Amino acid sequence: MSDSVWQDELDEIARRRTAALELGGPEKVERQHSRGKLDARQRIDRLVDDGSFREVGVLAAKRRPVEGGPDEVVPANFVTGTARLDGRKVVLGVDDFTVRGGASDGSVVEKLAYCEQMAHELQLPLVRLLDGTGGGGSIRSLEEMGRSYVPYLPGFEFTVQNLSTVPVVALGLGPVAGFGAARLVMSHHSVMVRGLSQTFVAGPPVVAGIGEDVTKEELGGVDVHGPNGTVDAVVDSEDEAFASARRFLSYLPSSVHEVAERGPVTDDPARADDWLADAIPRNPRQVYRVRPIIESLVDTGSFFELGASYGRSVVTGLARLDGWPVAVMAGDPYVYGGSWTETSAAKAIRLIDLADTFHLPVVNLVDNPGFMIGTAGERAGSIRHGMRALTAIYQASVPWCSVLLRKVYGVGGAGQSHHRRLQRRFAWPSAEWGSLPSTGGIEAAYRAEIEASDDPAEFVRAKREEVAALMSPFRTAEAFDIQDIVDPRESRALLCEFAADAAKLRRPGATGHGLRP
């Protein structure tokens, strides 16, 4: 091939592309590897389908004067472009820690903003791989600028809009501070890697200024941000983080302007596991494991739990029913008896917002004795947080099916569904409901009669028998206040039928609001 009249410029393009592929240079890349971390380009290769990454802005760089020689051109420490994940096109935004520790004074802010805008306007899912020490740069950057500036967040208008339009996944793969931490939580699914990633508003050197001497792990490691709900998942390796991103996206459409596709149909919708008939103990004080029930009802192996480390009295996740993607919420009696706390209410809101944004039907497996009671619940404001969750349920527009497993009590229990919508709802024989459980409720309602009785204990015992008869679920069914009481083994078939019916009702388009971080 003969040389072009533009050969010098073409050679310069090639040289700069090669330099960009080397990130911060061999020494900095090796330092990254010595910390047990992949570098930015290795992460892209491990995450996406082979050969599918098409980079945008490879020539973006920071120019630095060098005394006595030509300016140094350092590649920007943010890599972006499009790629395919399991065949689906996505936008990637990848921090490069090998240049200025991933801080934005080593970046070109327009490039980050372009990445967010690209996902929004092309209506493509966005995956952020985060590994950076801050958003605004260091004090050194002020010397380079010759001034300070009023803080702003590059591309944040698109970051906000993306939560309402496209699936956003954020993987914390190293220390993530400031704006990086904000980008981590501004997502539909966020992940941290144990031993590699920490998240904080400001790191230990800055926190030392307020008198706290802490390590990165103590300040913002996974044992801090898993239980407090800052992130949705904690994994043990970068490869697990990549797998979590791919699996999460597999349940969702590429944007709100589509509906999620039906997945592979690999499980018999009529499958009935016999052990479900005895899954709920007859003794109402005896707990049971709800996750095996979820696994039995949904397609085998399809349940993908979200937020397992926080708000643990509620279990949330995504699953498939006869191939159709659905959101799943369930009470866990092993934690506070299934009572909703402020964190479990927030977790429920997060799932409901996700489902409503991306048109996923909701299956609610109900065992909820109400909002958390007692001094701890009152101090935490459980009633306010709980009512926010109920409001989210009433604002949701997606098809909804409730299965009443056991306790459904009080204001919290009223959140099992929107009672004015068509009720796709059925109960197991173990279900019980009312304004209050009879234990404690009788003592409150008949205080004067108990005090006046010659035998208070016998009065309470007889009253409990009377109330138990009135609380029989069959009396409720007679009044059609519950649509059906079923053999638990029939539940999967009923839920698969619900999912098939719901699939026809899904409508593409934006909802009133997207997920709120």
Side-chain angles (χ1 to χ4, degrees):
M1 183 182 295
S2 60
D3 287 349
S4 165
V5 295
W6 296 100
Q7 193 60 46
D8 288 347
E9 288 80 3
L10 294 176
D11 290 344
E12 182 67 8
I13 292 171
R15 188 190 70 78
R16 292 193 180 214
R17 283 180 175 172
T18 299
L21 293 177
E22 294 177 350
L23 304 173
E27 182 179 338
K28 298 280 184 69
V29 170
E30 178 55 35
R31 188 182 305 168
Q32 173 91 341
H33 295 167
S34 71
R35 293 168 175 161
K37 300 196 297 183
L38 300 173
D39 62 59
R41 298 203 177 268
Q42 286 177 324
R43 285 168 174 164
I44 294 170
D45 290 342
R46 296 276 270 269
L47 172 66
V48 308
D49 298 353
D50 289 346
S52 67
F53 181 57
R54 182 175 293 279
E55 188 165 353
V56 176
V58 69
L59 303 185
K62 298 284 282 191
R63 182 177 290 272
R64 295 185 181 135
V66 177
E67 187 175 347
D71 290 351
E72 179 186 22
V73 178
V74 180
N77 60 6
F78 181 77
V79 181
T80 190
T82 61
R84 293 193 178 275
L85 266 63
D86 296 331
R88 174 193 292 185
K89 194 169 186 178
V90 302
V91 172
L92 294 185
V94 185
D95 292 345
D96 174 17
F97 195 86
T98 69
V99 177
R100 295 289 302 130
S104 68
D105 58 354
S107 182
V108 177
V109 295
E110 291 81 6
K111 194 174 181 183
L112 188 152
Y114 184 88
C115 170
E116 299 284 329
Q117 183 178 10
M118 182 163 50
H120 180 69
E121 297 199 6
L122 295 180
Q123 298 176 9
L124 294 176
L126 172 62
V127 181
R128 305 186 188 113
L129 308 186
L130 303 171
D131 187 3
T133 56
S138 67
I139 296 299
R140 179 181 296 182
S141 64
L142 302 183
E143 297 176 351
E144 294 178 359
M145 293 173 62
R147 64 177 178 85
S148 186
Y149 62 93
V150 178
Y152 76 103
L153 303 178
F156 194 64
E157 65 274 26
F158 296 110
T159 302
V160 173
Q161 291 178 69
N162 282 338
L163 289 182
S164 301
T165 44
V166 297
V168 180
V169 176
L171 308 182
L173 305 177
V176 182
F179 188 28
R183 290 162 59 214
L184 178 65
V185 301
M186 288 291 291
S187 62
H188 300 104
H189 184 52
S190 54
V191 182
M192 289 177 67
V193 180
R194 186 175 298 279
L196 284 188
S197 53
Q198 303 85 31
T199 300
F200 21 67
V201 175
V206 179
V207 170
I210 63 170
E212 293 187 26
D213 184 12
V214 290
T215 67
K216 291 189 295 184
E217 283 292 325
E218 290 170 336
L219 181 61
V222 298
D223 292 331
V224 176
H225 290 307
N228 70 14
T230 294
V231 294
D232 299 301
V234 172
V235 298
D236 292 323
S237 70
E238 293 194 52
D239 283 332
E240 287 184 53
F242 303 149
S244 183
R246 286 191 294 265
R247 189 169 181 198
F248 176 79
L249 291 173
S250 72
Y251 296 90
L252 301 179
S254 291
S255 79
V256 299
H257 304 294
E258 305 173 24
V259 293
E261 295 182 0
R262 188 181 191 181
V265 179
T266 58
D267 198 356
D268 182 0
R271 174 174 53 78
D273 293 336
D274 285 339
W275 66 268
L276 287 175
D278 297 311
I280 311 295
R282 182 169 287 276
N283 180 353
R285 293 182 175 274
Q286 186 177 345
V287 295
Y288 60 91
R289 300 288 184 186
V290 75
R291 286 174 180 83
I293 293 176
I294 298 172
E295 296 278 3
S296 174
L297 297 180
V298 303
D299 293 357
T300 299
S302 73
F303 181 57
F304 179 57
E305 186 167 358
L306 303 173
S309 299
Y310 79 103
R312 295 183 304 112
S313 61
V314 172
V315 177
T316 60
L318 304 174
R320 294 187 184 277
L321 288 166
D322 200 21
W324 297 109
V326 297
V328 178
M329 182 165 64
D332 187 352
Y334 262 85
V335 183
Y336 302 125
S339 297
W340 281 26
T341 64
E342 72 280 8
T343 52
S344 56
K347 181 174 169 179
I349 292 170
R350 187 165 173 80
L351 181 80
I352 295 161
D353 280 354
L354 175 69
D356 209 40
T357 299
F358 294 108
H359 323 301
L360 296 181
V362 175
V363 172
N364 188 13
L365 306 180
V366 185
D367 187 350
N368 183 359
F371 298 145
M372 187 70 175
I373 62 173
T375 55
E378 300 303 339
R379 286 172 181 157
S382 64
I383 186 65
R384 176 173 293 280
H385 295 287
M387 292 313 297
R388 290 186 70 244
L390 262 66
T391 300
I393 290 170
Y394 271 67
Q395 289 175 334
S397 60
V398 292
W400 191 285
C401 182
S402 294
V403 184
L404 312 188
L405 303 185
R406 191 187 251 175
K407 293 181 173 62
V408 191
Y409 284 111
V411 178
Q416 36 83 26
S417 64
H418 185 322
H419 80 286
R420 286 299 184 188
R421 294 181 63 185
L422 177 67
Q423 291 289 341
R424 297 295 294 267
R425 182 177 68 177
F426 56 91
W428 287 8
S430 48
E432 54 181 90
W433 40 66
S435 58
L436 282 173
S438 59
T439 301
I442 288 173
E443 287 80 351
Y446 295 95
R447 183 186 304 274
E449 289 89 338
I450 293 170
E451 291 175 352
S453 173
D454 293 335
D455 188 346
E458 174 59 24
F459 180 91
V460 171
R461 186 201 64 77
K463 186 58 68 175
R464 281 183 179 158
E465 283 190 3
E466 179 184 332
V467 170
L470 294 173
M471 293 181 69
S472 165
F474 293 101
R475 291 205 179 192
T476 309
E478 290 166 5
F480 200 56
D481 195 23
I482 182 68
Q483 286 65 48
D484 268 309
I485 303 173
V486 304
D487 183 326
R489 291 167 290 191
E490 301 171 0
S491 300
R492 172 169 163 77
L494 292 170
L495 289 174
C496 287
E497 182 179 4
F498 159 73
D501 290 342
K504 298 180 294 185
L505 303 177
R506 299 174 302 165
R507 296 290 181 268
T511 56
H513 60 80
L515 181 142
R516 292 158 285 198

